[in-house]
Amino acid sequence: MIAPQGRGIAGPETSTDIFRILHVSTGNVCRSPITERLTRHALTERLGDPGAGGLVVESAGTWGHEGAPMEAHAATVLADFGADAHGFMGRELLDEHVIRADLVLTATRDHRAQVISMGHSAGLRTFTLKEFTRLVRAIDPVTLPDPVDPGGVVARARALVQAAAALRGWLLAPDAEADEVHDPYGAPITFFRSIGDEINQALDPVLTALTGIPADRHPA
């Protein structure tokens, strides 16, 4: 399986060699597009060619605006980070997206509940973004597969999800707001930028754990 054109980082055609990350928000025009494209940008900086590692990054919305472009302020935020907004089209979240995702990261707890309610054994691989960040910070990277090994990034990603799921009942959020990324739709660019910073900060430890490469270390 290969990500639809313009939607993700194309991986190998053998599905067992692919790890799909699905970002979910409401309309798929603000938060999840920002998160999708920041993820892709960060993976490219770390790995050089994420497709060779089998990573695919996509997004959708629980009330997705099918075929819609991302909000202009969202595109501006991506440009601030040097990420590419080109070719994005909104999607409504479908069963098939959840079925094929190896990790679902949602903007809020409500989105997480909606994804899990769709079934498809999604509970153990669906987290809010901030929840996943909190859990990943508690995982010793030494316990994860070496990303340098053949198929290592995919194996490491799968192990990371399993370890996070095992910790979820033990490492709770400090308060109800801790796992939420609020919707900037209709807000001024200053609020979009604050949400972009929030998302970027939450993604950094996740992508470092997934790849084994910190943000300030580029591929040789």
Side-chain angles (χ1 to χ4, degrees):
M1 293 185 292
I2 296 177
Q5 186 174 3
R7 298 296 306 161
I9 299 173
E13 293 193 14
T14 305
S15 60
T16 55
D17 295 333
I18 288 176
F19 185 89
R20 289 183 180 273
I21 302 171
L22 175 66
H23 294 295
V24 175
S25 61
T26 303
N28 194 213
V29 292
C30 297
R31 287 168 292 182
S32 50
I34 290 173
T35 315
E36 174 195 325
R37 294 306 177 93
L38 285 180
T39 300
R40 292 172 59 181
H41 178 67
L43 287 173
T44 299
E45 286 192 324
R46 285 167 166 82
L47 299 176
D49 181 9
L55 301 176
V56 175
V57 185
E58 302 176 299
S59 65
T62 55
W63 290 85
H65 299 186
E66 191 71 31
M70 73 176 71
E71 284 289 298
H73 285 343
T76 298
V77 167
L78 290 174
D80 290 345
F81 286 99
D84 184 13
H86 178 73
F88 182 87
M89 292 185 295
R91 300 191 303 179
E92 181 179 356
L93 181 66
L94 302 176
D95 288 316
E96 66 189 69
H97 302 144
V98 177
I99 290 169
R100 68 185 184 179
D102 297 289
L103 171 62
V104 184
L105 296 176
T106 70
T108 70
R109 291 169 297 158
D110 282 347
H111 296 134
R112 182 185 64 194
Q114 290 179 64
V115 171
I116 293 172
S117 73
M118 295 172 73
H120 315 302
S121 303
L124 293 178
R125 51 195 166 89
T126 303
F127 309 80
T128 75
L129 171 61
K130 288 186 173 181
E131 173 192 23
F132 195 65
T133 301
R134 184 178 69 254
L135 298 171
V136 162
R137 286 184 186 276
I139 297 168
D140 185 348
V142 174
T143 65
L144 301 173
D146 191 332
V148 176
D149 294 339
V153 174
V154 168
R156 187 180 178 95
R158 295 191 194 284
L160 188 67
V161 173
Q162 291 174 358
L167 281 174
R168 179 149 47 188
W170 300 92
L171 193 60
L172 302 178
D175 56 67
E177 289 295 302
D179 289 341
E180 305 284 292
V181 176
H182 294 291
D183 192 355
Y185 185 78
I189 184 61
T190 50
F191 188 63
F192 267 83
R193 284 189 164 121
S194 71
I195 292 298
D197 287 339
E198 199 173 311
I199 291 169
N200 190 61
Q201 289 174 24
L203 282 173
D204 181 67
V206 170
L207 298 176
T208 296
L210 192 152
T211 63
I213 301 172
D216 59 356
R217 213 180 89 207
H218 297 283

